[in-house]
Amino acid sequence: DAKTTQPPSMDCAEGRAANLPCNHSTISGNEYVYWYRQIHSQGPQYIIHGLKNNETNEMASLIITEDRKSSTLILPHATLRDTAVYYCIVRVNSGGSNYKLTFGKGTLLTVNP
Amino acid sequence: GAGVSQSPSNKVTEKGKDVELRCDPISGHTALYWYRQRLGQGLEFLIYFQGNSAPDKSGLPSDRFSAERTGESVSTLTIQRTQQEDSAVYLCASSTIGTVNTEAFFGQGTRLTVV
């Protein structure tokens, strides 16, 4: 019952920006957008999250549309080590039954040399 | 330790045996989650603990699966009478609850193989 839609796979050239889209058209006003990634054989790793403003950290940037129905994760200079499955998740931050993280199928990003 | 610790890292068991998987969350993290990931598949939610509230067990696939957590400390996931379809990586994660720093941190998982 994931609330997000992502393309199953994408390719990106090393050194170029990777732009990963996510649709969350049923997002509620109090739900945040979270991004995680899972590199092969490892546990998922948190990347970034936001509510309505664009966010940037040392790993990536998150662009959320004004209507909050979609977002894009941007890896500005993709490296081979960024090859992973990227998950977009929506959830509230205030606890309760909606606090759990529900993972969809994600996007397999392959960074090519 | 600074991160979420899971043990054992690998477990091979015979069909029909019971197994117990352990998760040590990050100190102070109120929320704790268990997931199952079969080979080549996505993360399947199993159970979620939130402080002293009743856990959300909606993802447990059968009554052979159960989990316990004492307060905000260690959690154990128990699988009774294991079946071959239980073979998977079992992942645990923990997080705070609030409006900041709420990202979940995952352990490296326990790879369970039922033979």
mmCIF file of all heavy atoms in Angstrom, chain A residues 32 34 36 38 41-46 49 87 91 93-97 99-105, chain B residues 31 33 35 37 41-43 45 48 50 56 58 91 95-99 102-104 106-108 111:
data_model
loop_
_atom_site.group_PDB
_atom_site.id
_atom_site.type_symbol
_atom_site.label_atom_id
_atom_site.label_comp_id
_atom_site.label_asym_id
_atom_site.label_seq_id
_atom_site.Cartn_x
_atom_site.Cartn_y
_atom_site.Cartn_z
ATOM 1 N N TYR A 32 5.442 13.918 5.119
ATOM 2 C CA TYR A 32 6.733 14.295 4.584
ATOM 3 C C TYR A 32 7.113 13.345 3.446
ATOM 4 O O TYR A 32 6.680 12.187 3.404
ATOM 5 C CB TYR A 32 7.807 14.217 5.665
ATOM 6 C CG TYR A 32 7.731 15.313 6.702
ATOM 7 C CD1 TYR A 32 6.688 15.365 7.618
ATOM 8 C CD2 TYR A 32 8.721 16.288 6.792
ATOM 9 C CE1 TYR A 32 6.626 16.365 8.569
ATOM 10 C CE2 TYR A 32 8.667 17.288 7.741
ATOM 11 C CZ TYR A 32 7.622 17.323 8.625
ATOM 12 O OH TYR A 32 7.559 18.310 9.578
ATOM 13 N N TYR A 34 10.235 11.275 2.054
ATOM 14 C CA TYR A 34 11.536 10.735 2.447
ATOM 15 C C TYR A 34 12.151 9.979 1.265
ATOM 16 O O TYR A 34 11.438 9.347 0.489
ATOM 17 C CB TYR A 34 11.393 9.734 3.606
ATOM 18 C CG TYR A 34 11.279 10.344 4.966
ATOM 19 C CD1 TYR A 34 10.077 10.910 5.387
ATOM 20 C CD2 TYR A 34 12.354 10.339 5.843
ATOM 21 C CE1 TYR A 34 9.965 11.473 6.651
ATOM 22 C CE2 TYR A 34 12.252 10.902 7.103
ATOM 23 C CZ TYR A 34 11.055 11.460 7.504
ATOM 24 O OH TYR A 34 10.938 12.016 8.749
ATOM 25 N N TYR A 36 15.261 7.121 0.554
ATOM 26 C CA TYR A 36 16.272 6.190 1.033
ATOM 27 C C TYR A 36 16.884 5.503 -0.186
ATOM 28 O O TYR A 36 16.293 5.475 -1.261
ATOM 29 C CB TYR A 36 15.654 5.107 1.935
ATOM 30 C CG TYR A 36 15.288 5.571 3.311
ATOM 31 C CD1 TYR A 36 14.130 6.316 3.523
ATOM 32 C CD2 TYR A 36 16.099 5.282 4.405
ATOM 33 C CE1 TYR A 36 13.797 6.753 4.788
ATOM 34 C CE2 TYR A 36 15.774 5.722 5.674
ATOM 35 C CZ TYR A 36 14.623 6.461 5.855
ATOM 36 O OH TYR A 36 14.293 6.899 7.114
ATOM 37 N N GLN A 38 19.242 1.795 -1.261
ATOM 38 C CA GLN A 38 19.776 0.518 -0.818
ATOM 39 C C GLN A 38 20.795 0.040 -1.839
ATOM 40 O O GLN A 38 20.428 -0.307 -2.972
ATOM 41 C CB GLN A 38 18.673 -0.515 -0.623
ATOM 42 C CG GLN A 38 19.172 -1.794 0.016
ATOM 43 C CD GLN A 38 18.060 -2.768 0.338
ATOM 44 O OE1 GLN A 38 17.009 -2.757 -0.279
ATOM 45 N NE2 GLN A 38 18.298 -3.631 1.328
ATOM 46 N N SER A 41 23.182 -5.625 -1.133
ATOM 47 C CA SER A 41 23.615 -6.387 0.044
ATOM 48 C C SER A 41 23.809 -5.539 1.298
ATOM 49 O O SER A 41 24.419 -6.000 2.266
ATOM 50 C CB SER A 41 24.915 -7.152 -0.238
ATOM 51 O OG SER A 41 24.733 -8.070 -1.271
ATOM 52 N N GLN A 42 23.304 -4.319 1.285
ATOM 53 C CA GLN A 42 23.375 -3.486 2.472
ATOM 54 C C GLN A 42 21.981 -3.097 2.937
ATOM 55 O O GLN A 42 21.015 -3.206 2.188
ATOM 56 C CB GLN A 42 24.191 -2.217 2.200
ATOM 57 C CG GLN A 42 25.639 -2.483 1.818
ATOM 58 C CD GLN A 42 26.415 -1.195 1.631
ATOM 59 O OE1 GLN A 42 26.019 -0.139 2.127
ATOM 60 N NE2 GLN A 42 27.518 -1.272 0.925
ATOM 61 N N GLY A 43 21.883 -2.604 4.187
ATOM 62 C CA GLY A 43 20.620 -2.066 4.669
ATOM 63 C C GLY A 43 20.341 -0.722 4.020
ATOM 64 O O GLY A 43 21.256 -0.030 3.581
ATOM 65 N N PRO A 44 19.085 -0.326 3.934
ATOM 66 C CA PRO A 44 18.753 0.978 3.361
ATOM 67 C C PRO A 44 19.420 2.114 4.120
ATOM 68 O O PRO A 44 19.646 2.034 5.335
ATOM 69 C CB PRO A 44 17.228 1.048 3.489
ATOM 70 C CG PRO A 44 16.787 -0.374 3.508
ATOM 71 C CD PRO A 44 17.875 -1.092 4.253
ATOM 72 N N GLN A 45 19.707 3.187 3.389
ATOM 73 C CA GLN A 45 20.391 4.351 3.936
ATOM 74 C C GLN A 45 19.543 5.588 3.689
ATOM 75 O O GLN A 45 19.084 5.821 2.566
ATOM 76 C CB GLN A 45 21.757 4.502 3.242
ATOM 77 C CG GLN A 45 22.530 5.745 3.604
ATOM 78 C CD GLN A 45 23.724 5.978 2.682
ATOM 79 O OE1 GLN A 45 23.756 5.520 1.548
ATOM 80 N NE2 GLN A 45 24.714 6.689 3.176
ATOM 81 N N TYR A 46 19.337 6.372 4.726
ATOM 82 C CA TYR A 46 18.590 7.620 4.595
ATOM 83 C C TYR A 46 19.359 8.605 3.717
ATOM 84 O O TYR A 46 20.595 8.714 3.814
ATOM 85 C CB TYR A 46 18.364 8.223 5.979
ATOM 86 C CG TYR A 46 17.919 9.667 5.979
ATOM 87 C CD1 TYR A 46 16.593 10.007 5.770
ATOM 88 C CD2 TYR A 46 18.838 10.694 6.200
ATOM 89 C CE1 TYR A 46 16.183 11.334 5.785
ATOM 90 C CE2 TYR A 46 18.438 12.015 6.207
ATOM 91 C CZ TYR A 46 17.107 12.325 5.999
ATOM 92 O OH TYR A 46 16.703 13.640 6.013
ATOM 93 N N HIS A 49 14.913 14.300 3.400
ATOM 94 C CA HIS A 49 13.456 14.389 3.478
ATOM 95 C C HIS A 49 13.024 15.846 3.485
ATOM 96 O O HIS A 49 13.831 16.741 3.789
ATOM 97 C CB HIS A 49 12.896 13.628 4.680
ATOM 98 C CG HIS A 49 13.061 14.303 6.007
ATOM 99 N ND1 HIS A 49 14.268 14.320 6.690
ATOM 100 C CD2 HIS A 49 12.192 14.982 6.785
ATOM 101 C CE1 HIS A 49 14.112 14.953 7.826
ATOM 102 N NE2 HIS A 49 12.865 15.382 7.922
ATOM 103 N N TYR A 87 14.401 4.632 -2.984
ATOM 104 C CA TYR A 87 13.013 4.544 -2.532
ATOM 105 C C TYR A 87 12.504 5.927 -2.124
ATOM 106 O O TYR A 87 13.139 6.637 -1.346
ATOM 107 C CB TYR A 87 12.895 3.613 -1.332
ATOM 108 C CG TYR A 87 13.248 2.179 -1.590
ATOM 109 C CD1 TYR A 87 14.516 1.692 -1.277
ATOM 110 C CD2 TYR A 87 12.315 1.297 -2.126
ATOM 111 C CE1 TYR A 87 14.838 0.371 -1.502
ATOM 112 C CE2 TYR A 87 12.635 -0.031 -2.349
ATOM 113 C CZ TYR A 87 13.897 -0.491 -2.034
ATOM 114 O OH TYR A 87 14.210 -1.807 -2.248
ATOM 115 N N ARG A 91 5.296 9.844 4.687
ATOM 116 C CA ARG A 91 4.782 9.490 5.998
ATOM 117 C C ARG A 91 4.718 10.735 6.880
ATOM 118 O O ARG A 91 5.363 11.736 6.620
ATOM 119 C CB ARG A 91 5.663 8.453 6.672
ATOM 120 C CG ARG A 91 6.998 8.986 7.140
ATOM 121 C CD ARG A 91 7.533 8.185 8.306
ATOM 122 N NE ARG A 91 8.659 8.844 8.936
ATOM 123 C CZ ARG A 91 9.504 8.235 9.753
ATOM 124 N NH1 ARG A 91 9.356 6.962 10.037
ATOM 125 N NH2 ARG A 91 10.480 8.910 10.302
ATOM 126 N N ASN A 93 5.274 12.661 10.600
ATOM 127 C CA ASN A 93 6.385 12.698 11.544
ATOM 128 C C ASN A 93 5.940 12.711 12.988
ATOM 129 O O ASN A 93 6.750 12.859 13.890
ATOM 130 C CB ASN A 93 7.251 13.933 11.281
ATOM 131 C CG ASN A 93 8.436 13.603 10.386
ATOM 132 O OD1 ASN A 93 8.558 12.495 9.916
ATOM 133 N ND2 ASN A 93 9.282 14.583 10.168
ATOM 134 N N SER A 94 4.655 12.530 13.216
ATOM 135 C CA SER A 94 4.133 12.756 14.562
ATOM 136 C C SER A 94 3.798 11.470 15.291
ATOM 137 O O SER A 94 3.091 11.484 16.272
ATOM 138 C CB SER A 94 2.880 13.622 14.481
ATOM 139 O OG SER A 94 1.951 13.048 13.587
ATOM 140 N N GLY A 95 4.312 10.355 14.830
ATOM 141 C CA GLY A 95 4.031 9.108 15.515
ATOM 142 C C GLY A 95 2.689 8.533 15.125
ATOM 143 O O GLY A 95 2.022 9.016 14.220
ATOM 144 N N GLY A 96 2.269 7.495 15.813
ATOM 145 C CA GLY A 96 1.006 6.858 15.483
ATOM 146 C C GLY A 96 1.172 5.808 14.403
ATOM 147 O O GLY A 96 2.265 5.535 13.923
ATOM 148 N N SER A 97 0.061 5.234 13.980
ATOM 149 C CA SER A 97 0.128 4.100 13.055
ATOM 150 C C SER A 97 0.647 4.493 11.685
ATOM 151 O O SER A 97 1.123 3.650 10.932
ATOM 152 C CB SER A 97 -1.250 3.457 12.907
ATOM 153 O OG SER A 97 -2.161 4.409 12.352
ATOM 154 N N TYR A 99 3.182 6.254 11.123
ATOM 155 C CA TYR A 99 4.585 6.624 11.211
ATOM 156 C C TYR A 99 5.488 5.592 10.556
ATOM 157 O O TYR A 99 6.632 5.869 10.263
ATOM 158 C CB TYR A 99 4.972 6.799 12.681
ATOM 159 C CG TYR A 99 6.264 7.535 12.885
ATOM 160 C CD1 TYR A 99 6.370 8.887 12.594
ATOM 161 C CD2 TYR A 99 7.387 6.880 13.364
ATOM 162 C CE1 TYR A 99 7.558 9.569 12.786
ATOM 163 C CE2 TYR A 99 8.577 7.556 13.564
ATOM 164 C CZ TYR A 99 8.651 8.893 13.279
ATOM 165 O OH TYR A 99 9.825 9.573 13.470
ATOM 166 N N LYS A 100 4.981 4.383 10.341
ATOM 167 C CA LYS A 100 5.855 3.358 9.802
ATOM 168 C C LYS A 100 6.246 3.686 8.373
ATOM 169 O O LYS A 100 5.525 4.337 7.632
ATOM 170 C CB LYS A 100 5.159 1.998 9.845
ATOM 171 C CG LYS A 100 3.924 1.874 8.979
ATOM 172 C CD LYS A 100 3.296 0.494 9.130
ATOM 173 C CE LYS A 100 2.108 0.355 8.188
ATOM 174 N NZ LYS A 100 0.901 -0.012 8.909
ATOM 175 N N LEU A 101 7.416 3.242 7.985
ATOM 176 C CA LEU A 101 7.926 3.432 6.630
ATOM 177 C C LEU A 101 7.450 2.278 5.759
ATOM 178 O O LEU A 101 7.741 1.135 6.048
ATOM 179 C CB LEU A 101 9.458 3.458 6.646
ATOM 180 C CG LEU A 101 10.128 4.675 7.264
ATOM 181 C CD1 LEU A 101 11.606 4.385 7.486
ATOM 182 C CD2 LEU A 101 9.959 5.891 6.378
ATOM 183 N N THR A 102 6.713 2.602 4.717
ATOM 184 C CA THR A 102 6.251 1.583 3.787
ATOM 185 C C THR A 102 7.008 1.754 2.478
ATOM 186 O O THR A 102 6.879 2.780 1.815
ATOM 187 C CB THR A 102 4.741 1.699 3.547
ATOM 188 O OG1 THR A 102 4.063 1.570 4.800
ATOM 189 C CG2 THR A 102 4.269 0.608 2.598
ATOM 190 N N PHE A 103 7.795 0.757 2.124
ATOM 191 C CA PHE A 103 8.624 0.816 0.937
ATOM 192 C C PHE A 103 7.878 0.258 -0.268
ATOM 193 O O PHE A 103 7.251 -0.793 -0.172
ATOM 194 C CB PHE A 103 9.909 0.013 1.142
ATOM 195 C CG PHE A 103 10.899 0.651 2.077
ATOM 196 C CD1 PHE A 103 10.730 0.562 3.450
ATOM 197 C CD2 PHE A 103 11.999 1.342 1.592
ATOM 198 C CE1 PHE A 103 11.632 1.151 4.320
ATOM 199 C CE2 PHE A 103 12.906 1.931 2.453
ATOM 200 C CZ PHE A 103 12.725 1.841 3.818
ATOM 201 N N GLY A 104 7.987 0.968 -1.377
ATOM 202 C CA GLY A 104 7.506 0.444 -2.653
ATOM 203 C C GLY A 104 8.625 -0.309 -3.345
ATOM 204 O O GLY A 104 9.541 -0.810 -2.695
ATOM 205 N N LYS A 105 8.560 -0.388 -4.658
ATOM 206 C CA LYS A 105 9.583 -1.133 -5.410
ATOM 207 C C LYS A 105 10.814 -0.285 -5.723
ATOM 208 O O LYS A 105 11.862 -0.811 -6.069
ATOM 209 C CB LYS A 105 8.979 -1.687 -6.694
ATOM 210 C CG LYS A 105 7.846 -2.688 -6.435
ATOM 211 C CD LYS A 105 7.360 -3.310 -7.732
ATOM 212 C CE LYS A 105 6.188 -4.219 -7.485
ATOM 213 N NZ LYS A 105 6.508 -5.314 -6.555
ATOM 214 N N ALA B 31 11.146 4.481 18.210
ATOM 215 C CA ALA B 31 10.493 3.653 17.191
ATOM 216 C C ALA B 31 11.449 2.570 16.701
ATOM 217 O O ALA B 31 12.649 2.812 16.520
ATOM 218 C CB ALA B 31 10.045 4.520 16.013
ATOM 219 N N TYR B 33 11.473 -0.882 13.857
ATOM 220 C CA TYR B 33 10.775 -1.526 12.750
ATOM 221 C C TYR B 33 11.501 -2.815 12.363
ATOM 222 O O TYR B 33 12.724 -2.882 12.399
ATOM 223 C CB TYR B 33 10.762 -0.626 11.506
ATOM 224 C CG TYR B 33 10.563 0.844 11.740
ATOM 225 C CD1 TYR B 33 11.596 1.644 12.239
ATOM 226 C CD2 TYR B 33 9.364 1.467 11.429
ATOM 227 C CE1 TYR B 33 11.428 3.001 12.436
ATOM 228 C CE2 TYR B 33 9.188 2.830 11.612
ATOM 229 C CZ TYR B 33 10.222 3.591 12.114
ATOM 230 O OH TYR B 33 10.055 4.939 12.298
ATOM 231 N N TYR B 35 11.618 -5.522 9.003
ATOM 232 C CA TYR B 35 11.249 -5.749 7.610
ATOM 233 C C TYR B 35 11.836 -7.079 7.157
ATOM 234 O O TYR B 35 12.830 -7.556 7.700
ATOM 235 C CB TYR B 35 11.809 -4.642 6.694
ATOM 236 C CG TYR B 35 11.223 -3.270 6.938
ATOM 237 C CD1 TYR B 35 11.754 -2.426 7.903
ATOM 238 C CD2 TYR B 35 10.149 -2.810 6.189
ATOM 239 C CE1 TYR B 35 11.223 -1.170 8.132
ATOM 240 C CE2 TYR B 35 9.611 -1.546 6.407
ATOM 241 C CZ TYR B 35 10.152 -0.753 7.377
ATOM 242 O OH TYR B 35 9.627 0.507 7.595
ATOM 243 N N GLN B 37 13.144 -9.002 3.522
ATOM 244 C CA GLN B 37 13.497 -8.770 2.128
ATOM 245 C C GLN B 37 13.935 -10.082 1.509
ATOM 246 O O GLN B 37 15.032 -10.579 1.805
ATOM 247 C CB GLN B 37 14.591 -7.710 1.982
ATOM 248 C CG GLN B 37 14.838 -7.297 0.544
ATOM 249 C CD GLN B 37 15.716 -6.071 0.416
ATOM 250 O OE1 GLN B 37 16.617 -5.852 1.218
ATOM 251 N NE2 GLN B 37 15.453 -5.247 -0.596
ATOM 252 N N GLN B 41 13.785 -8.902 -4.080
ATOM 253 C CA GLN B 41 12.503 -8.248 -3.835
ATOM 254 C C GLN B 41 12.686 -6.976 -2.999
ATOM 255 O O GLN B 41 13.782 -6.684 -2.516
ATOM 256 C CB GLN B 41 11.552 -9.202 -3.109
ATOM 257 C CG GLN B 41 11.311 -10.516 -3.826
ATOM 258 C CD GLN B 41 10.637 -10.320 -5.150
ATOM 259 O OE1 GLN B 41 9.620 -9.624 -5.253
ATOM 260 N NE2 GLN B 41 11.179 -10.928 -6.194
ATOM 261 N N GLY B 42 11.590 -6.233 -2.823
ATOM 262 C CA GLY B 42 11.620 -5.028 -2.007
ATOM 263 C C GLY B 42 11.475 -5.346 -0.533
ATOM 264 O O GLY B 42 11.421 -6.502 -0.125
ATOM 265 N N LEU B 43 11.429 -4.288 0.282
ATOM 266 C CA LEU B 43 11.303 -4.445 1.727
ATOM 267 C C LEU B 43 9.832 -4.629 2.102
ATOM 268 O O LEU B 43 8.988 -3.816 1.756
ATOM 269 C CB LEU B 43 11.855 -3.222 2.459
ATOM 270 C CG LEU B 43 13.354 -3.182 2.649
ATOM 271 C CD1 LEU B 43 14.045 -2.674 1.399
ATOM 272 C CD2 LEU B 43 13.718 -2.315 3.831
ATOM 273 N N PHE B 45 7.199 -4.773 5.087
ATOM 274 C CA PHE B 45 7.005 -4.381 6.481
ATOM 275 C C PHE B 45 6.446 -5.554 7.292
ATOM 276 O O PHE B 45 5.536 -6.258 6.851
ATOM 277 C CB PHE B 45 6.033 -3.201 6.551
ATOM 278 C CG PHE B 45 5.510 -2.912 7.929
ATOM 279 C CD1 PHE B 45 6.313 -2.253 8.846
ATOM 280 C CD2 PHE B 45 4.239 -3.313 8.308
ATOM 281 C CE1 PHE B 45 5.832 -1.984 10.125
ATOM 282 C CE2 PHE B 45 3.755 -3.050 9.582
ATOM 283 C CZ PHE B 45 4.556 -2.390 10.486
ATOM 284 N N TYR B 48 6.023 -2.847 13.820
ATOM 285 C CA TYR B 48 6.535 -1.536 14.212
ATOM 286 C C TYR B 48 6.207 -1.308 15.684
ATOM 287 O O TYR B 48 5.055 -1.439 16.084
ATOM 288 C CB TYR B 48 5.888 -0.481 13.307
ATOM 289 C CG TYR B 48 5.825 0.930 13.826
ATOM 290 C CD1 TYR B 48 6.968 1.594 14.262
ATOM 291 C CD2 TYR B 48 4.615 1.622 13.851
ATOM 292 C CE1 TYR B 48 6.897 2.902 14.715
ATOM 293 C CE2 TYR B 48 4.540 2.925 14.301
ATOM 294 C CZ TYR B 48 5.690 3.561 14.722
ATOM 295 O OH TYR B 48 5.626 4.854 15.167
ATOM 296 N N GLN B 50 6.349 1.460 18.822
ATOM 297 C CA GLN B 50 6.446 2.891 19.097
ATOM 298 C C GLN B 50 6.317 3.099 20.586
ATOM 299 O O GLN B 50 5.200 3.139 21.122
ATOM 300 C CB GLN B 50 5.349 3.645 18.350
ATOM 301 C CG GLN B 50 5.362 5.140 18.623
ATOM 302 C CD GLN B 50 4.109 5.828 18.141
ATOM 303 O OE1 GLN B 50 3.977 6.087 16.967
ATOM 304 N NE2 GLN B 50 3.171 6.108 19.030
ATOM 305 N N ASP B 56 2.313 -2.188 16.007
ATOM 306 C CA ASP B 56 1.576 -2.412 14.765
ATOM 307 C C ASP B 56 2.072 -3.722 14.176
ATOM 308 O O ASP B 56 3.159 -3.764 13.617
ATOM 309 C CB ASP B 56 1.813 -1.234 13.817
ATOM 310 C CG ASP B 56 1.096 -1.383 12.485
ATOM 311 O OD1 ASP B 56 0.639 -2.504 12.144
ATOM 312 O OD2 ASP B 56 1.005 -0.386 11.760
ATOM 313 N N SER B 58 0.564 -5.444 11.795
ATOM 314 C CA SER B 58 -0.226 -5.706 10.597
ATOM 315 C C SER B 58 0.552 -6.400 9.477
ATOM 316 O O SER B 58 -0.053 -6.988 8.582
ATOM 317 C CB SER B 58 -0.823 -4.403 10.070
ATOM 318 O OG SER B 58 0.201 -3.482 9.735
ATOM 319 N N LEU B 91 15.568 -7.236 8.248
ATOM 320 C CA LEU B 91 16.178 -5.937 8.551
ATOM 321 C C LEU B 91 15.443 -5.257 9.690
ATOM 322 O O LEU B 91 14.215 -5.281 9.762
ATOM 323 C CB LEU B 91 16.140 -5.040 7.315
ATOM 324 C CG LEU B 91 17.085 -5.430 6.185
ATOM 325 C CD1 LEU B 91 16.581 -4.895 4.856
ATOM 326 C CD2 LEU B 91 18.487 -4.914 6.453
ATOM 327 N N SER B 95 14.314 4.735 14.945
ATOM 328 C CA SER B 95 14.295 6.177 14.741
ATOM 329 C C SER B 95 13.693 6.861 15.959
ATOM 330 O O SER B 95 13.078 6.217 16.814
ATOM 331 C CB SER B 95 13.480 6.544 13.493
ATOM 332 O OG SER B 95 12.092 6.411 13.747
ATOM 333 N N THR B 96 13.885 8.174 16.027
ATOM 334 C CA THR B 96 13.169 8.964 17.013
ATOM 335 C C THR B 96 11.778 9.278 16.459
ATOM 336 O O THR B 96 11.482 8.973 15.297
ATOM 337 C CB THR B 96 13.906 10.271 17.312
ATOM 338 O OG1 THR B 96 14.040 11.002 16.081
ATOM 339 C CG2 THR B 96 15.281 9.989 17.877
ATOM 340 N N ILE B 97 10.968 9.881 17.254
ATOM 341 C CA ILE B 97 9.641 10.331 16.825
ATOM 342 C C ILE B 97 9.552 11.809 17.120
ATOM 343 O O ILE B 97 9.888 12.249 18.207
ATOM 344 C CB ILE B 97 8.516 9.576 17.553
ATOM 345 C CG1 ILE B 97 8.539 8.102 17.167
ATOM 346 C CG2 ILE B 97 7.156 10.187 17.228
ATOM 347 C CD1 ILE B 97 7.526 7.264 17.892
ATOM 348 N N GLY B 98 9.123 12.579 16.140
ATOM 349 C CA GLY B 98 9.039 14.007 16.367
ATOM 350 C C GLY B 98 8.997 14.738 15.057
ATOM 351 O O GLY B 98 8.472 14.228 14.074
ATOM 352 N N THR B 99 9.565 15.907 15.009
ATOM 353 C CA THR B 99 9.526 16.686 13.779
ATOM 354 C C THR B 99 10.905 16.931 13.200
ATOM 355 O O THR B 99 11.036 17.457 12.114
ATOM 356 C CB THR B 99 8.837 18.038 14.019
ATOM 357 O OG1 THR B 99 9.532 18.721 15.068
ATOM 358 C CG2 THR B 99 7.382 17.848 14.407
ATOM 359 N N THR B 102 14.225 12.581 12.198
ATOM 360 C CA THR B 102 13.351 11.421 12.325
ATOM 361 C C THR B 102 13.706 10.316 11.351
ATOM 362 O O THR B 102 12.945 9.369 11.192
ATOM 363 C CB THR B 102 11.904 11.831 12.100
ATOM 364 O OG1 THR B 102 11.825 12.510 10.844
ATOM 365 C CG2 THR B 102 11.404 12.727 13.208
ATOM 366 N N GLU B 103 14.855 10.449 10.686
ATOM 367 C CA GLU B 103 15.200 9.411 9.728
ATOM 368 C C GLU B 103 15.463 8.093 10.440
ATOM 369 O O GLU B 103 15.951 8.061 11.563
ATOM 370 C CB GLU B 103 16.427 9.819 8.897
ATOM 371 C CG GLU B 103 17.692 10.068 9.696
ATOM 372 C CD GLU B 103 17.859 11.529 10.081
ATOM 373 O OE1 GLU B 103 16.838 12.212 10.281
ATOM 374 O OE2 GLU B 103 19.024 11.973 10.177
ATOM 375 N N ALA B 104 15.111 7.006 9.776
ATOM 376 C CA ALA B 104 15.334 5.670 10.317
ATOM 377 C C ALA B 104 16.719 5.181 9.925
ATOM 378 O O ALA B 104 17.174 5.409 8.810
ATOM 379 C CB ALA B 104 14.276 4.710 9.788
ATOM 380 N N PHE B 106 19.061 1.819 9.597
ATOM 381 C CA PHE B 106 18.914 0.386 9.413
ATOM 382 C C PHE B 106 20.163 -0.361 9.856
ATOM 383 O O PHE B 106 21.284 0.122 9.709
ATOM 384 C CB PHE B 106 18.648 0.058 7.941
ATOM 385 C CG PHE B 106 17.231 0.306 7.510
ATOM 386 C CD1 PHE B 106 16.800 1.584 7.222
ATOM 387 C CD2 PHE B 106 16.334 -0.740 7.405
ATOM 388 C CE1 PHE B 106 15.493 1.822 6.827
ATOM 389 C CE2 PHE B 106 15.026 -0.513 7.007
ATOM 390 C CZ PHE B 106 14.600 0.776 6.727
ATOM 391 N N GLY B 107 19.942 -1.578 10.368
ATOM 392 C CA GLY B 107 21.044 -2.480 10.579
ATOM 393 C C GLY B 107 21.406 -3.171 9.278
ATOM 394 O O GLY B 107 20.781 -2.937 8.234
ATOM 395 N N GLN B 108 22.409 -4.020 9.342
ATOM 396 C CA GLN B 108 22.867 -4.724 8.148
ATOM 397 C C GLN B 108 22.059 -5.982 7.867
ATOM 398 O O GLN B 108 22.237 -6.613 6.825
ATOM 399 C CB GLN B 108 24.349 -5.072 8.270
ATOM 400 C CG GLN B 108 25.261 -3.862 8.188
ATOM 401 C CD GLN B 108 25.055 -3.072 6.903
ATOM 402 O OE1 GLN B 108 25.205 -3.585 5.812
ATOM 403 N NE2 GLN B 108 24.676 -1.802 7.034
ATOM 404 N N ARG B 111 20.686 -12.619 7.575
ATOM 405 C CA ARG B 111 20.334 -13.459 6.426
ATOM 406 C C ARG B 111 19.940 -14.825 6.941
ATOM 407 O O ARG B 111 20.773 -15.546 7.497
ATOM 408 C CB ARG B 111 21.506 -13.569 5.460
ATOM 409 C CG ARG B 111 21.179 -14.411 4.214
ATOM 410 C CD ARG B 111 22.349 -14.390 3.229
ATOM 411 N NE ARG B 111 22.669 -13.055 2.777
ATOM 412 C CZ ARG B 111 22.029 -12.424 1.808
ATOM 413 N NH1 ARG B 111 21.036 -13.020 1.178
ATOM 414 N NH2 ARG B 111 22.403 -11.220 1.443
#
